[in-house]
Amino acid sequence: EQNKVLDFYLEVLCAAVVETGLLEAALEAVSARASTGRQGAVTGSKFLGFLAALLVQVPSTAEEDWYVSPVFRLRAEVYQRADRLGSLLEAVLGFGFE
């Protein structure tokens, strides 16, 4: 039962990110901040970590109606923005961490 509740929360969170356009807005803001200095790079790394934590929960195989599932739609949106996410990762790594 607890797993069902957690799956529901994951679906709600993914729906909020996908359907509101939050992913695009957050990626734009974090990318701009990441190149401003060390603190911006830390923010960028936390954003990447947040996305990774969400995406690791996505099942590896899609159901037939994957396009209606917010979880799979989030994965598709992240995949579409792979170049920008790569640029963000590069900006984060450019500052290095001790």
Side-chain angles (χ1 to χ4, degrees), residues 17 23 27 46-56 74 78 85:
V17 171
L23 179 62
L27 181 55
K46 288 181 180 181
F47 178 74
L48 290 171
F50 170 74
L51 278 180
L54 278 180
L55 294 173
V56 77
L74 175 64
V78 167
L85 288 164

PDB file of all heavy atoms in Angstrom, residues 17 23 27 46-56 74 78 85:
ATOM      1  N   VAL A  17       5.526  19.074 -12.917  1.00  0.00           N
ATOM      2  CA  VAL A  17       6.712  19.537 -13.642  1.00  0.00           C
ATOM      3  C   VAL A  17       6.439  19.603 -15.141  1.00  0.00           C
ATOM      4  O   VAL A  17       6.792  20.572 -15.811  1.00  0.00           O
ATOM      5  CB  VAL A  17       7.919  18.625 -13.332  1.00  0.00           C
ATOM      6  CG1 VAL A  17       9.092  18.953 -14.235  1.00  0.00           C
ATOM      7  CG2 VAL A  17       8.321  18.760 -11.875  1.00  0.00           C
ATOM      8  N   LEU A  23       9.767  22.515 -15.946  1.00  0.00           N
ATOM      9  CA  LEU A  23      11.086  22.002 -16.345  1.00  0.00           C
ATOM     10  C   LEU A  23      11.827  23.021 -17.200  1.00  0.00           C
ATOM     11  O   LEU A  23      12.992  23.325 -16.948  1.00  0.00           O
ATOM     12  CB  LEU A  23      10.954  20.677 -17.089  1.00  0.00           C
ATOM     13  CG  LEU A  23      12.265  20.069 -17.580  1.00  0.00           C
ATOM     14  CD1 LEU A  23      13.185  19.739 -16.415  1.00  0.00           C
ATOM     15  CD2 LEU A  23      11.997  18.825 -18.404  1.00  0.00           C
ATOM     16  N   LEU A  27      15.085  24.985 -15.880  1.00  0.00           N
ATOM     17  CA  LEU A  27      16.338  24.745 -16.599  1.00  0.00           C
ATOM     18  C   LEU A  27      16.942  26.061 -17.081  1.00  0.00           C
ATOM     19  O   LEU A  27      18.151  26.274 -16.982  1.00  0.00           O
ATOM     20  CB  LEU A  27      16.095  23.804 -17.779  1.00  0.00           C
ATOM     21  CG  LEU A  27      17.306  23.426 -18.618  1.00  0.00           C
ATOM     22  CD1 LEU A  27      18.406  22.833 -17.757  1.00  0.00           C
ATOM     23  CD2 LEU A  27      16.896  22.447 -19.699  1.00  0.00           C
ATOM     24  N   LYS A  46      22.512  20.672  -7.676  1.00  0.00           N
ATOM     25  CA  LYS A  46      21.338  20.230  -6.922  1.00  0.00           C
ATOM     26  C   LYS A  46      20.144  20.009  -7.857  1.00  0.00           C
ATOM     27  O   LYS A  46      19.370  19.068  -7.666  1.00  0.00           O
ATOM     28  CB  LYS A  46      20.993  21.241  -5.835  1.00  0.00           C
ATOM     29  CG  LYS A  46      21.986  21.219  -4.695  1.00  0.00           C
ATOM     30  CD  LYS A  46      21.623  22.206  -3.620  1.00  0.00           C
ATOM     31  CE  LYS A  46      22.649  22.144  -2.499  1.00  0.00           C
ATOM     32  NZ  LYS A  46      22.332  23.068  -1.419  1.00  0.00           N
ATOM     33  N   PHE A  47      20.006  20.861  -8.850  1.00  0.00           N
ATOM     34  CA  PHE A  47      18.931  20.689  -9.831  1.00  0.00           C
ATOM     35  C   PHE A  47      19.116  19.396 -10.613  1.00  0.00           C
ATOM     36  O   PHE A  47      18.171  18.624 -10.795  1.00  0.00           O
ATOM     37  CB  PHE A  47      18.892  21.894 -10.782  1.00  0.00           C
ATOM     38  CG  PHE A  47      17.849  21.782 -11.858  1.00  0.00           C
ATOM     39  CD1 PHE A  47      16.511  21.952 -11.573  1.00  0.00           C
ATOM     40  CD2 PHE A  47      18.217  21.495 -13.163  1.00  0.00           C
ATOM     41  CE1 PHE A  47      15.549  21.842 -12.568  1.00  0.00           C
ATOM     42  CE2 PHE A  47      17.268  21.389 -14.159  1.00  0.00           C
ATOM     43  CZ  PHE A  47      15.931  21.562 -13.859  1.00  0.00           C
ATOM     44  N   LEU A  48      20.337  19.137 -11.053  1.00  0.00           N
ATOM     45  CA  LEU A  48      20.618  17.891 -11.773  1.00  0.00           C
ATOM     46  C   LEU A  48      20.363  16.680 -10.875  1.00  0.00           C
ATOM     47  O   LEU A  48      19.841  15.658 -11.331  1.00  0.00           O
ATOM     48  CB  LEU A  48      22.052  17.894 -12.295  1.00  0.00           C
ATOM     49  CG  LEU A  48      22.335  18.865 -13.435  1.00  0.00           C
ATOM     50  CD1 LEU A  48      23.832  18.943 -13.711  1.00  0.00           C
ATOM     51  CD2 LEU A  48      21.571  18.469 -14.689  1.00  0.00           C
ATOM     52  N   GLY A  49      20.716  16.794  -9.612  1.00  0.00           N
ATOM     53  CA  GLY A  49      20.464  15.713  -8.666  1.00  0.00           C
ATOM     54  C   GLY A  49      18.978  15.461  -8.463  1.00  0.00           C
ATOM     55  O   GLY A  49      18.531  14.311  -8.365  1.00  0.00           O
ATOM     56  N   PHE A  50      18.198  16.539  -8.416  1.00  0.00           N
ATOM     57  CA  PHE A  50      16.750  16.418  -8.283  1.00  0.00           C
ATOM     58  C   PHE A  50      16.156  15.689  -9.489  1.00  0.00           C
ATOM     59  O   PHE A  50      15.359  14.757  -9.333  1.00  0.00           O
ATOM     60  CB  PHE A  50      16.123  17.804  -8.131  1.00  0.00           C
ATOM     61  CG  PHE A  50      14.626  17.813  -8.233  1.00  0.00           C
ATOM     62  CD1 PHE A  50      13.851  17.326  -7.191  1.00  0.00           C
ATOM     63  CD2 PHE A  50      13.997  18.309  -9.354  1.00  0.00           C
ATOM     64  CE1 PHE A  50      12.465  17.325  -7.275  1.00  0.00           C
ATOM     65  CE2 PHE A  50      12.612  18.317  -9.446  1.00  0.00           C
ATOM     66  CZ  PHE A  50      11.848  17.835  -8.401  1.00  0.00           C
ATOM     67  N   LEU A  51      16.559  16.096 -10.685  1.00  0.00           N
ATOM     68  CA  LEU A  51      16.063  15.418 -11.896  1.00  0.00           C
ATOM     69  C   LEU A  51      16.474  13.952 -11.906  1.00  0.00           C
ATOM     70  O   LEU A  51      15.678  13.078 -12.260  1.00  0.00           O
ATOM     71  CB  LEU A  51      16.585  16.107 -13.153  1.00  0.00           C
ATOM     72  CG  LEU A  51      15.837  17.330 -13.628  1.00  0.00           C
ATOM     73  CD1 LEU A  51      16.485  17.885 -14.892  1.00  0.00           C
ATOM     74  CD2 LEU A  51      14.378  17.043 -13.862  1.00  0.00           C
ATOM     75  N   ALA A  52      17.703  13.683 -11.525  1.00  0.00           N
ATOM     76  CA  ALA A  52      18.180  12.299 -11.498  1.00  0.00           C
ATOM     77  C   ALA A  52      17.367  11.468 -10.510  1.00  0.00           C
ATOM     78  O   ALA A  52      17.013  10.321 -10.804  1.00  0.00           O
ATOM     79  CB  ALA A  52      19.663  12.259 -11.140  1.00  0.00           C
ATOM     80  N   ALA A  53      17.056  12.035  -9.353  1.00  0.00           N
ATOM     81  CA  ALA A  53      16.269  11.310  -8.351  1.00  0.00           C
ATOM     82  C   ALA A  53      14.874  10.995  -8.873  1.00  0.00           C
ATOM     83  O   ALA A  53      14.323   9.924  -8.595  1.00  0.00           O
ATOM     84  CB  ALA A  53      16.184  12.119  -7.062  1.00  0.00           C
ATOM     85  N   LEU A  54      14.293  11.912  -9.629  1.00  0.00           N
ATOM     86  CA  LEU A  54      12.987  11.646 -10.226  1.00  0.00           C
ATOM     87  C   LEU A  54      13.086  10.569 -11.298  1.00  0.00           C
ATOM     88  O   LEU A  54      12.297   9.628 -11.333  1.00  0.00           O
ATOM     89  CB  LEU A  54      12.409  12.914 -10.860  1.00  0.00           C
ATOM     90  CG  LEU A  54      11.708  13.899  -9.967  1.00  0.00           C
ATOM     91  CD1 LEU A  54      11.220  15.084 -10.783  1.00  0.00           C
ATOM     92  CD2 LEU A  54      10.543  13.252  -9.247  1.00  0.00           C
ATOM     93  N   LEU A  55      14.054  10.727 -12.178  1.00  0.00           N
ATOM     94  CA  LEU A  55      14.144   9.832 -13.330  1.00  0.00           C
ATOM     95  C   LEU A  55      14.555   8.417 -12.974  1.00  0.00           C
ATOM     96  O   LEU A  55      14.200   7.475 -13.686  1.00  0.00           O
ATOM     97  CB  LEU A  55      15.086  10.421 -14.377  1.00  0.00           C
ATOM     98  CG  LEU A  55      14.568  11.709 -15.015  1.00  0.00           C
ATOM     99  CD1 LEU A  55      15.627  12.317 -15.908  1.00  0.00           C
ATOM    100  CD2 LEU A  55      13.291  11.466 -15.779  1.00  0.00           C
ATOM    101  N   VAL A  56      15.270   8.244 -11.890  1.00  0.00           N
ATOM    102  CA  VAL A  56      15.661   6.898 -11.492  1.00  0.00           C
ATOM    103  C   VAL A  56      14.430   6.088 -11.052  1.00  0.00           C
ATOM    104  O   VAL A  56      14.465   4.856 -11.058  1.00  0.00           O
ATOM    105  CB  VAL A  56      16.755   6.938 -10.402  1.00  0.00           C
ATOM    106  CG1 VAL A  56      16.176   7.267  -9.046  1.00  0.00           C
ATOM    107  CG2 VAL A  56      17.527   5.649 -10.366  1.00  0.00           C
ATOM    108  N   LEU A  74       7.706  13.087 -18.458  1.00  0.00           N
ATOM    109  CA  LEU A  74       8.847  13.818 -17.897  1.00  0.00           C
ATOM    110  C   LEU A  74      10.141  13.276 -18.477  1.00  0.00           C
ATOM    111  O   LEU A  74      11.019  14.049 -18.869  1.00  0.00           O
ATOM    112  CB  LEU A  74       8.871  13.714 -16.365  1.00  0.00           C
ATOM    113  CG  LEU A  74      10.093  14.357 -15.709  1.00  0.00           C
ATOM    114  CD1 LEU A  74      10.110  15.856 -15.947  1.00  0.00           C
ATOM    115  CD2 LEU A  74      10.130  14.053 -14.231  1.00  0.00           C
ATOM    116  N   VAL A  78      12.852  15.502 -20.566  1.00  0.00           N
ATOM    117  CA  VAL A  78      14.265  15.590 -20.175  1.00  0.00           C
ATOM    118  C   VAL A  78      15.141  15.158 -21.346  1.00  0.00           C
ATOM    119  O   VAL A  78      16.158  15.792 -21.644  1.00  0.00           O
ATOM    120  CB  VAL A  78      14.543  14.758 -18.907  1.00  0.00           C
ATOM    121  CG1 VAL A  78      16.033  14.588 -18.666  1.00  0.00           C
ATOM    122  CG2 VAL A  78      13.874  15.411 -17.706  1.00  0.00           C
ATOM    123  N   LEU A  85      20.862  20.253 -20.804  1.00  0.00           N
ATOM    124  CA  LEU A  85      21.284  19.649 -19.544  1.00  0.00           C
ATOM    125  C   LEU A  85      22.775  19.337 -19.567  1.00  0.00           C
ATOM    126  O   LEU A  85      23.465  19.490 -18.556  1.00  0.00           O
ATOM    127  CB  LEU A  85      20.467  18.386 -19.255  1.00  0.00           C
ATOM    128  CG  LEU A  85      19.022  18.648 -18.851  1.00  0.00           C
ATOM    129  CD1 LEU A  85      18.191  17.382 -18.970  1.00  0.00           C
ATOM    130  CD2 LEU A  85      18.962  19.204 -17.442  1.00  0.00           C
TER     131      LEU A  85
END
